[in-house]
Amino acid sequence: MRNLTAAFLLIATAGVAAETPDLTMQTRIRQEEFRNSKVMEIASGLMDFVGARLTGSPNMKRANEWTRDKLTEFGLSDAHLEPWGPFGTGWSYESCSLRLLSPDVVQLWALPRAWSAGTTGPIRGSAVKVKLETKEDLEKNKGKLAGKFVLLGDTPELKPHEKAQYQRYDEKSLADIGQYQIPGGTPPRFTREEAVRRRAFNRALLPFLAEEKPLAMIVPGGGDYGNFHVQGAGSYRKAEQYPVPSVVLSDEQYGRIARLIDQNKDPQLELDVRTHDYPDAQTFNTIAEIPGTDKRGEVVMLGAHLDSWHGGTGATDNGAGSVVAMEVVRVLKAIGIQPRRTIRIGLWSGEEEGLLGSRAYVSQHFASRPEPPEEERDLPSAFRRNTGPLTIKPEHAKLAAYFNLDNGTGKVRGIYAQENAAVVPIFEAWLDPLKDLGANTVTMRTTGGTDHLSFDAVGLPGFQFIQDPVEYSERTHHTTYDVYERLQRDDLMQAVVVMATFVWEAANRPDMLPRKPLSKADMEGSPSPGLRPPSPR
Ligand SMILES: [Zn+2]
């Protein structure tokens, strides 16, 4: 009996070669990055020189061209822009001034929401406060908003910050992340039904506003100390353009005007906002390669989304991931590697609008599904359903792995195995020489919200790293202060070394990374959400 077990173990383990990380390469990667890093230089180029990168805007195109030229300069091959789309309407703003004219004169801190209309010169009028959340609210307010500035929503209540505004994972929180969470255990913040209802309401709001003709819609920014969130209004789709000007205002100033309205002081506002629309905007991903040698037909991809919102310069979301990925390929070229597999970088656009660029790339290269019906679009990715059968292309068999970085400036603490048990021991072996850099956790958990999902959704091994949160959700994510100063140099350099290690190992191991099996529902499309559940973060 004992002998049989031993024999069985021998057979069972014989097929799995021990994963031995390349320590010489580890030293070379560290030497290049820790002594000759260009990551902050690339970061300044992208954030200071190019700036914010809203998909479909002229700046996004500049970012695509700038990254393509940089990657060429680093010595990569075939750096090019790959078009995707149709996207819809591009948008940018030139200037925005919102002032309180009475009972006091004040310059306010406001920025336009993407895809909202501009004004033709300054417009002036009274401000009112309404709630527009349901179709009944629209009925109730019919005929009341014309010629008014409309404050949409409650007066924010701001409390002092009791906790630190930044976070690094400690051993306990990493141990928690390392524990798998059985899906459905914790109820989501809102349900799919609620997401569908909100989407339907937001569409119904557009013709109401077009008819009603308020001067502008003003929303609170959801921040404090002058920092606020800026995203979009309506949509980039032709039929869903926001028909009136709409601005985000800092919470403290929104509160002041809201109180003046409550006290019947009839606050007067003036808005002058200049915006530009670019109908049928062309959209691109930036792609470049380090060609492989004996296995050059197989590809290891790394990437991040290059697009951003327009309140800051998209430094932590996701300039950070983009410049780390660019620095990874620069380092690998600089030390003159000859990878067995081809290494390909993808810098995606359209991520903020629903992973559009990476989904299009996956459809064009690896596997596609029929376009989702109207009601599925714009739902958070965790609620989206697989629509119809998967058509698999030949390149699907050739992608060894995709590694994504998109959770801010924080250093890498490990990686989500995305429920792929077979990669866990492999990743653990690769992390072994990276322990002294704080990266040592492999979790079976999935994580969502970014471009590795586009690969995962069609059965390709796509992964996102675990990163220290730093100030991401508290301060920088989609805010006016998502700028270069919030990038942490040491964290980015560490992330470069970890990502370069993973890319190198994946490009050189004897076999491609093991994949999760594609279920029947994955292949045929299913009525249940097609993408994996989101992580609790
Ligand atoms: Zn984002």
Side-chain angles (χ1 to χ4, degrees), residues 201-348:
F201 173 76
N202 286 334
R203 289 202 70 187
L205 181 62
L206 302 178
F208 170 84
L209 294 177
E211 180 107 333
E212 196 69 16
K213 297 191 176 57
L215 290 178
M217 307 301 282
I218 302 175
V219 297
D224 63 5
Y225 294 108
N227 189 22
F228 55 92
H229 295 81
V230 190
Q231 294 181 227
S235 156
Y236 52 88
R237 289 192 195 95
K238 253 188 201 138
E240 295 176 39
Q241 293 251 255
Y242 209 76
V244 297
S246 181
V247 297
V248 188
L249 178 59
S250 76
D251 279 33
E252 295 89 339
Q253 296 177 326
Y254 185 97
R256 181 178 182 185
I257 295 164
R259 285 187 297 278
L260 291 171
I261 296 169
D262 291 344
Q263 296 157 19
N264 297 314
K265 298 287 197 265
D266 189 24
Q268 297 293 304
L269 296 174
E270 177 197 78
L271 177 68
D272 188 0
V273 54
R274 266 161 237 202
T275 63
H276 298 280
D277 284 344
Y278 308 93
D280 305 314
Q282 285 198 298
T283 44
F284 305 90
N285 298 314
T286 305
I287 308 290
E289 289 189 348
I290 302 173
T293 51
D294 63 316
K295 289 180 182 286
R296 77 178 70 83
E298 296 175 3
V299 178
V300 174
M301 289 196 73
L302 73 160
H305 75 86
L306 186 60
D307 65 304
S308 75
W309 291 104
H310 56 291
T313 54
T316 67
D317 187 16
N318 184 22
S322 299
V323 301
V324 166
M326 290 173 77
E327 174 72 352
V328 165
V329 291
R330 187 200 67 80
V331 165
L332 294 177
K333 270 312 276 188
I335 58 184
I337 59 152
Q338 297 282 319
R340 301 187 66 188
R341 298 187 176 83
T342 294
I343 294 170
R344 184 185 299 159
I345 182 172
L347 299 173
W348 318 115

Side-chain angles (χ1 to χ4, degrees), residues 20-229:
T20 42
D22 183 340
L23 298 181
T24 307
M25 189 52 68
Q26 180 62 215
T27 304
R28 295 177 69 192
I29 290 170
R30 287 188 188 213
Q31 278 175 343
E32 177 61 24
E33 183 54 21
F34 293 151
R35 298 197 187 146
N36 190 34
S37 180
K38 298 280 185 283
V39 75
M40 296 310 280
E41 198 180 306
I42 304 171
S44 178
L46 187 60
M47 267 53 82
D48 300 333
F49 175 66
V50 178
R53 302 168 300 281
L54 188 73
T55 299
S57 70
N59 254 25
M60 183 72 239
K61 178 86 188 299
R62 279 179 67 215
N64 283 126
E65 288 165 351
W66 185 83
T67 50
R68 176 199 60 200
D69 295 348
K70 273 281 153 200
L71 292 167
T72 304
E73 189 186 309
F74 297 159
L76 271 77
S77 304
D78 193 26
H80 66 281
L81 307 190
E82 259 183 64
W84 60 270
F87 171 68
T89 304
W91 179 94
S92 69
Y93 82 97
E94 200 179 301
S95 62
C96 177
S97 166
L98 180 68
R99 297 198 304 147
L100 176 65
L101 299 180
S102 158
D104 187 14
V105 180
V106 180
Q107 177 73 50
L108 302 169
W109 300 338
L111 285 176
R113 297 158 87 196
W115 299 294
S116 59
T119 63
T120 41
I123 51 173
R124 293 172 179 189
S126 299
V128 296
K129 219 173 88 180
V130 298
K131 200 174 223 152
L132 297 178
E133 282 167 8
T134 62
K135 293 197 175 159
E136 292 75 60
D137 293 341
L138 298 187
E139 273 312 305
K140 243 179 17 204
N141 286 288
K142 238 185 197 146
K144 294 183 186 166
L145 308 181
K148 304 255 196 282
F149 285 101
V150 178
L151 269 68
L152 206 54
D154 300 327
T155 311
E157 270 186 57
L158 301 180
K159 297 263 190 299
H161 297 289
E162 288 170 13
K163 291 189 306 186
Q165 289 289 287
Y166 77 97
Q167 190 198 353
R168 289 202 181 273
Y169 289 135
D170 56 17
E171 289 311 311
K172 190 188 166 300
S173 44
L174 285 172
D176 272 359
I177 293 171
Q179 292 295 303
Y180 183 70
Q181 284 184 316
I182 293 171
T186 36
R189 268 180 302 147
F190 56 93
T191 61
R192 185 175 198 281
E193 287 62 42
E194 179 59 17
V196 172
R197 192 200 66 76
R198 283 189 202 185
R199 158 105 179 102
F201 173 76
N202 286 334
R203 289 202 70 187
L205 181 62
L206 302 178
F208 170 84
L209 294 177
E211 180 107 333
E212 196 69 16
K213 297 191 176 57
L215 290 178
M217 307 301 282
I218 302 175
V219 297
D224 63 5
Y225 294 108
N227 189 22
F228 55 92
H229 295 81

Side-chain angles (χ1 to χ4, degrees), residues 305 309 317 351-352 406 472 477-478:
H305 75 86
W309 291 104
D317 187 16
E351 193 271 355
E352 298 293 358
D406 178 22
Y472 197 51
H477 184 239
H478 300 184

